[in-house]
Amino acid sequence: MRSDAVTKGMQQAPHRSLFNALGMTQEEMDRPLVGIVSSYNEIVPGHMNLDKIVEAVKMGVAMAGGTPIVFPAIAVCDGIAMGHVGMKYSLVTRDLIADSTEAMAMAHQFDALVMVPNCDKNVPGLLMAAARINVPTVFVSGGPMLAGHVKGQKRSLSSMFEAVGAYAAGTMTEEDVREFEEKVCPTCGSCSGMYTANSMNCLTEALGMGLKGNGTIPAVYSERIKLAKHAGMQVMELLKKNIRPRDIMTEKAFLNALTVDMALGCSTNSMLHLPAIAHEAGVELNMEIANEMSAKTPNLCHLAPAGPTYIEDLNEAGGVYAVMNELNKKGLLYTDLMTVTGKTVGENIAGCVNKNPEVIRPIDNPYSEIGGIAVLKGNLAPDTAVVKRSAVVPEMMVHEGPARVFDCEEDAIDAIKGGKIVAGDVVVIRYEGPKGGPGMREMLNPTSAIAGMGLGSTVALITDGRFSGASRGASIGHVSPEAAVGGPIALVEEGDRILIDIPNNKLELLVSEEELAARKAKWQPREPKVTTGYLARYAKMVTSGNRGAILEL
């Protein structure tokens, strides 16, 4: 056992003395030491219940003969961080989480780990750590929030942001906004649509790193506590069989995750996180493969913000395994892969019936014959850009319009809410990429303002930043190379015509090569927005969005 390095032998007497200081008995030291990574805090709604989840995991580990030991991981609430300097600190925490978890696990020589994340960067950060540390590991999330109810309709956080846009447009009263404010987020849990947190928790199941229901059982259900106990018990089984994350997170497992991503219509942030997790697992995942996967994968779900259904509905319909079983009817998954259940993908999903064909469309009656995410290329995005195709209205799948150019998110929001953006425009927000932001801020405020002001079917938004999973419409992010390194998005001028052709995966700036070359010759790098602290170090080390914004020395 790895923990022998701190618990066995005369040389380890000083180590044992410190375990004694913890009140640990010899019997506990004789058992496998299982680290439980707790993301509990009192600022993130998706994490306020994780103390209960952690206690259940501890009980499961102890019941199965292990010694559970808790240590923390940080987490940022993207909703609270949205629209101000705080959003610069969201994506960057992914690497802090991975690094700090690696440090704790390696320093204390845990034999196995149970990861307890829930929201946004917390999930991929811990998946990255699991791949690095490579000891038997199980994930159990805190679960999704229940949808709110406003005026007889289910609602969620994206509705709240759009309500602010509607108020700015004069189509909603302050009283109406207050009602949304009080009702759209009714419980603890990760926000109730197919946003980034729920996307990644569902994809954790698809990867094989979480038990059935990890992505969909609501946070407030007692079933979530039972799931946590089973996760604690199951990690001991993995330890006995020496099944490790890199045995599970293989290249084929990531292809399965991409396939499920397309079927579910997950957040575009998955296109940042899957390559980063794969990189840590020793798998190079080129995002251009996404279009190949999309071409053969039907989109089966239109969960909020793409449609009127929520994660609680997906759970009742059979969850991620039911979606995977539908996909398997056309042989779209690798089914012989090992998972944390100790069984293969095929064994896991066998008999998982689709209980609601309105929530999970049958494979022969999909929303679309192609997947929910598209990767675009062209002279505006020579490397790639990403769009959540399933959340784009048909009339915006092909769009040409004049560029309205802004060098930061705040200026764009002022213009949108000030009525300066009109039907047909293409809003360009640049210098918000991984280096330029720094931190690649999410653009939920501008996309929600566009939707709330009734422009969602006539205005597009393009950025080298990224979008919340709660964004909808022709919102194209991750434009690479980014403006800060001289990518073509830095060369766009007010009024330039831009062509968006999602069916053909194209993003073109309709300016001659000669003119672009002349602009490029005049372009000068900008002074960094941040010159001290973690963000400055991050900006120097981070790669582009098309590579998952991974860090390189």
Side-chain angles (χ1 to χ4, degrees):
M1 302 293 280
R2 284 163 57 98
S3 60
D4 288 355
V6 294
T7 60
K8 300 291 192 294
M10 190 54 63
Q11 279 293 115
Q12 280 64 45
H15 305 72
R16 289 193 297 275
S17 72
L18 293 167
F19 282 112
N20 285 326
L22 293 168
M24 192 173 288
T25 65
Q26 186 61 52
E27 290 83 356
E28 288 173 295
M29 284 185 261
D30 288 341
R31 295 176 177 180
L33 302 186
V34 179
I36 302 173
V37 187
S38 171
S39 303
Y40 168 76
N41 64 47
E42 294 183 339
I43 187 64
V44 183
H47 290 229
M48 63 178 286
N49 66 318
L50 294 190
D51 55 340
K52 309 295 189 298
I53 303 297
V54 167
E55 286 303 313
V57 172
K58 287 174 67 177
M59 182 173 289
V61 169
M63 282 166 42
T67 298
I69 304 172
V70 179
F71 65 89
I74 64 168
V76 163
C77 176
D78 278 22
I80 294 174
M82 193 71 65
H84 55 88
V85 67
M87 183 45 71
K88 294 180 185 289
Y89 287 89
S90 172
L91 178 60
V92 304
T93 63
R94 187 184 71 181
D95 296 275
L96 283 175
I97 291 161
D99 292 349
S100 59
T101 302
E102 175 194 2
M104 288 291 288
M106 298 304 292
H108 302 103
Q109 290 293 285
F110 290 105
D111 297 303
L113 297 167
V114 180
M115 305 291 196
V116 187
N118 209 24
C119 291
D120 296 292
K121 313 313 151 317
N122 193 244
V123 185
L126 289 179
L127 283 165
M128 289 163 67
R132 279 189 209 170
I133 301 160
N134 202 35
V135 299
T137 303
V138 175
F139 276 68
V140 56
S141 77
M145 183 184 292
L146 294 178
H149 291 82
V150 183
K151 300 186 188 304
Q153 289 186 306
K154 284 187 177 182
R155 296 291 190 176
S156 62
L157 184 65
S158 56
S159 308
M160 183 71 255
F161 277 90
E162 290 178 16
V164 174
Y167 175 75
T171 58
M172 187 174 282
T173 67
E174 183 175 350
E175 184 179 8
D176 287 334
V177 174
R178 291 289 183 191
E179 184 177 5
F180 271 78
E181 182 180 329
E182 291 170 2
K183 295 181 178 179
V184 296
C185 296
T187 73
C188 63
S190 49
C191 294
S192 55
M194 187 53 82
Y195 311 149
T196 304
N198 292 325
S199 293
M200 295 310 302
N201 283 322
C202 287
L203 294 182
T204 298
E205 281 189 64
L207 271 174
M209 290 297 294
L211 301 179
K212 181 184 178 184
N214 177 71
T216 60
I217 298 171
V220 294
Y221 282 14
S222 299
E223 190 180 354
R224 175 65 55 180
I225 300 297
K226 293 163 66 176
L227 180 72
K229 291 175 183 175
H230 282 129
M233 290 186 269
Q234 187 57 30
V235 80
M236 298 303 296
E237 288 299 311
L238 296 183
L239 183 59
K240 289 175 188 174
K241 297 175 182 177
N242 196 29
I243 298 173
R244 304 180 182 216
R246 289 194 180 200
D247 300 324
I248 295 168
M249 290 194 282
T250 62
E251 181 177 6
K252 288 181 179 179
F254 282 102
L255 295 179
N256 275 356
L258 270 176
T259 299
V260 175
D261 192 337
M262 295 297 170
L264 286 173
C266 290
S267 164
T268 52
N269 280 317
S270 64
M271 297 292 106
L272 276 178
H273 300 322
L274 287 176
I277 300 160
H279 178 75
E280 297 292 351
V283 175
E284 290 307 312
L285 193 64
N286 186 335
M287 276 299 95
E288 291 184 46
I289 198 174
N291 287 337
E292 181 183 327
M293 306 294 293
S294 179
K296 60 183 181 182
T297 306
N299 177 227
L300 304 182
C301 299
H302 267 191
L303 298 150
T309 54
Y310 295 81
I311 302 298
E312 63 192 63
D313 301 312
L314 177 61
N315 185 64
E316 295 301 319
V320 174
Y321 279 14
V323 174
M324 294 175 75
N325 201 29
E326 287 289 344
L327 293 170
N328 197 42
K329 291 176 182 178
K330 286 195 174 180
L332 295 174
L333 297 175
Y334 295 99
T335 57
D336 59 345
L337 309 181
M338 182 50 61
T339 72
V340 293
T341 66
K343 299 177 182 178
T344 65
V345 169
E347 290 171 324
N348 286 342
I349 67 175
C352 291
V353 177
N354 178 1
K355 300 174 184 177
N356 189 337
E358 295 304 312
V359 176
I360 305 171
R361 287 283 185 91
I363 194 75
D364 55 1
N365 182 35
Y367 282 102
S368 168
E369 292 291 345
I370 54 179
I373 290 179
V375 173
L376 312 183
K377 291 189 77 171
N379 69 347
L380 187 52
D383 290 340
T384 52
V386 179
V387 63
K388 187 171 182 174
R389 174 169 35 204
S390 60
V392 180
V393 294
E395 54 267 39
M396 288 298 288
M397 296 297 280
V398 178
H399 178 75
E400 181 184 324
R404 305 299 309 279
V405 183
F406 304 94
D407 288 349
C408 68
E409 177 188 5
E410 288 82 356
D411 289 350
I413 291 170
D414 288 345
I416 295 165
K417 292 186 175 178
K420 297 177 182 177
I421 302 301
V422 299
D425 283 349
V426 178
V427 176
V428 176
I429 305 178
R430 61 192 181 189
Y431 294 98
E432 291 283 11
K435 286 185 180 294
M440 204 178 186
R441 287 196 286 179
E442 286 186 345
M443 302 291 165
L444 179 56
N445 273 351
T447 59
S448 297
I450 287 169
M453 297 187 75
L455 297 171
S457 61
T458 57
V459 170
L461 197 156
I462 297 171
T463 182
D464 53 7
R466 59 195 179 91
F467 293 107
S468 165
S471 292
R472 61 187 175 100
S475 304
I476 298 165
H478 309 189
V479 171
S480 303
E482 62 175 291
V485 298
I489 192 171
L491 310 179
V492 181
E493 295 184 358
E494 186 80 9
D496 285 348
R497 304 291 293 182
I498 292 175
L499 171 65
I500 299 164
D501 185 348
I502 296 172
N504 290 302
N505 304 310
K506 289 183 179 179
L507 183 62
E508 297 284 345
L509 178 60
L510 303 181
V511 172
S512 70
E513 291 184 16
E514 293 78 13
E515 173 62 18
L516 285 178
R519 293 182 189 179
K520 179 70 173 177
K522 296 177 184 176
W523 180 82
Q524 293 291 325
R526 304 227 173 159
E527 289 295 318
K529 294 178 183 175
V530 180
T531 57
T532 60
Y534 177 55
L535 287 180
R537 296 196 303 275
Y538 181 88
K540 289 179 180 178
M541 299 170 68
V542 71
T543 61
S544 65
N546 71 304
R547 295 184 59 196
I550 61 172
L551 300 186
E552 288 186 338
L553 297 177

